[in-house]
């Protein structure tokens, strides 16, 4: 059973497709047991691992920061509209701001307090077996490197 969230399944699909694509032509030319074919499949797996890492990093690190900035702008506009409309209280037990500028300062403090939790909820939501996709890409690069090394040894030994 494969356990994934979001686009986590692409952590397996991207390296598999690139390994297949890189190995298709050498397999048809040299056969499946050739060192050249194995090296091409290894290079394909390595390229797929790099692409998987970059894709996972974009999904789990870069894109959440962009979404957080959008959320902050929306939240800031919503709270500023409340301050401009009249009575605003940051939270129960806090005194209302005495001026618009003080209300805006309270809003910035509130957004700064809420942002780390929002970023944590947006980050690393694309996983495969509870591992973020970018690290699945790194883990899949290791067999690609091993296959390349073994095919080079196989090529020069026989």
């Amino acid at each position: 059973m494969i356990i994934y969230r979001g686009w986590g399944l692409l952590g397996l699909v991207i390296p598999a497709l690139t390994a297949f694509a890189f190995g298709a032509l050498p397999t048809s030319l040299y056969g499946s047991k050739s060192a050249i074919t194995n090296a091409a499949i290894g290079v394909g797996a390595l390229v797929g691992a790099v692409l998987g890492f970059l894709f996972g990093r974009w999904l789990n690190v870069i894109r959440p920061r962009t979404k957080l900035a959008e959320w902050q702008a929306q939240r800031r506009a919503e709270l500023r509209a409340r301050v401009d409309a009249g009575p605003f209280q940051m939270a129960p037990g806090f005194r209302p701001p005495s001026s618009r500028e003080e209300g805006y300062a309270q809003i910035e403090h509130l957004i700064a307090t809420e942002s780390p939790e929002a970023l944590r909820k947006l980050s690393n939501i694309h996983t495969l077996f509870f591992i973020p996709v970018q690290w699945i890409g790194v883990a899949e690069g290791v067999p690609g490197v091993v296959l390349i090394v073994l095919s080079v040894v196989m090529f020069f030994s026989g």
Side-chain angles (χ1 to χ4, degrees), residues 21-35:
F22 275 61
L25 183 62
T27 301
S28 65
L29 294 176
Y30 302 109
S32 62
K33 306 241 187 233
S34 168

Side-chain angles (χ1 to χ4, degrees), residues 115-131:
S115 292
E117 180 66 20
L119 182 60
R120 188 189 65 75
K121 287 181 179 179
L122 291 170
S123 298
N124 291 330
I125 58 174
H126 302 278
T127 62
L128 179 67
F129 296 113
F130 310 107
I131 301 170

Side-chain angles (χ1 to χ4, degrees), residues 51-121:
L51 291 175
F53 175 79
L54 294 174
F55 180 68
R57 181 156 167 76
W58 178 78
L59 279 177
N60 288 328
V61 177
I62 297 168
R63 188 169 165 219
R65 288 182 188 155
T66 305
K67 284 187 170 193
L68 178 67
E70 292 170 2
W71 174 82
Q72 287 173 335
Q74 178 185 1
R75 181 89 167 129
R76 187 174 289 116
E78 172 190 321
L79 293 175
R80 282 185 176 216
R82 286 188 192 172
V83 168
D84 293 340
F88 170 77
Q89 190 174 8
M90 192 163 83
F94 283 90
R95 67 175 184 81
S98 59
S99 67
R100 182 174 284 169
E101 289 75 28
E102 186 179 349
Y104 289 165
Q106 287 180 355
I107 288 170
E108 293 305 318
H109 175 71
L110 184 63
I111 290 174
T113 303
E114 294 174 341
S115 292
E117 180 66 20
L119 182 60
R120 188 189 65 75
K121 287 181 179 179

Side-chain angles (χ1 to χ4, degrees), residues 144-158:
V145 170
V146 169
L147 191 57
I148 293 169
V149 170
L150 288 177
S151 63
V152 167
V153 168
M154 195 170 93
F155 182 77
F156 286 115
S157 67

